Amino acid sequence: MDTQNPSAPPRAQSADGGNPLGSRHRTGGVIHENTRHTARFVVIGNHLTQHKELSLLAIGLGCHIQSLPTGAPVDIKSLTARFKEGTKRISDALRELETHGYLRRERVRTPTGRIVTRTTSCNQPGHRREPADTDCPAPRPRQTRERAPQPRPRKALPAVPQPSCTAPALLQQATDVLTGLRRHDPRLLLSATDTEHLTPGVAAWLEREATPTAVRHALTTDLPDDPLRRPAALLAHRLAAHLPPLPPYRTPDGPPPPTRHPLRNCDGCDHAFRAPETETHCRTCRTTAPHRS
């Protein structure tokens, strides 16, 4: 009677299939297989690699820059030659790192009198010290913790010309000119606040019969090669310094003014223009599409 039932298992199988970690660790999640580095490595903080506001490109570029030896070129041209992301994406990523304190870019004068841009990589924003001379990270100094630098008040932008007409169509056309500048130079990516400040200046140019193309050319031609620390200030200066003169019929000694038609939006390009109510397209659209004239 002591014969065992051969069809019965010696013991019940566990629900997790013998997994020693239990059912809580069946699938998913990264598993690290680490080997200790002894040469050619750099220590990078998780505050950079896991930053919640930086883009993936900015994080990767920040890690790359921190791994470079002192003196390695990190200008936009050199980085674009090294990576395939392109000038605009590289420029935007550098601006992200600069905004969050991982880069400082300053214009300095060399002993020969040349103006160059000096880039400082900060592996821990808010803690300034002398840069290391080797690939390896410098030992953390044991001293009183420095206070993070207080943000400087932003200097007001230069004043811009003001138009006599503030029609919504005219202001919208001026805004379109400003927001399109970044397509001609990525450094001219403007904030909403800067765009709002500059819009009346562009509108004053358009009111003086300058075409959007002429305004764009005046703002983007002969820009300096170095990074623009305050592009909005440069644009404000150009709008004020190079404001075109009033048309002859707007001056006191000029001929009598012609009939001034109200502003309307072109049915072809949606830009503002002055014309009788019977005209539906601006001069540019009529020129490029003669069948509309």
Side-chain angles (χ1 to χ4, degrees), residues 160-166 170-171 174-175 178 194-207 239 243:
V160 298
Q162 299 296 313
S164 60
C165 173
T166 57
L170 178 65
L171 297 179
T175 300
L178 291 169
D194 291 342
T195 302
E196 183 179 2
H197 177 83
L198 298 172
T199 292
V202 176
W205 281 56
L206 299 175
E207 189 180 47
L239 288 171
L243 180 67

Side-chain angles (χ1 to χ4, degrees), residues 261-275:
H261 299 290
L263 281 170
R264 62 186 67 258
N265 285 6
C266 174
D267 289 350
C269 63
D270 201 35
H271 283 174
F273 75 106
R274 295 186 183 276

Side-chain angles (χ1 to χ4, degrees), residues 230-255:
R230 299 189 71 202
L234 174 61
L235 298 179
H237 169 75
R238 289 192 171 190
L239 288 171
H242 305 296
L243 180 67
L246 286 168
Y249 62 82
R250 297 286 296 277
T251 61
D253 300 330

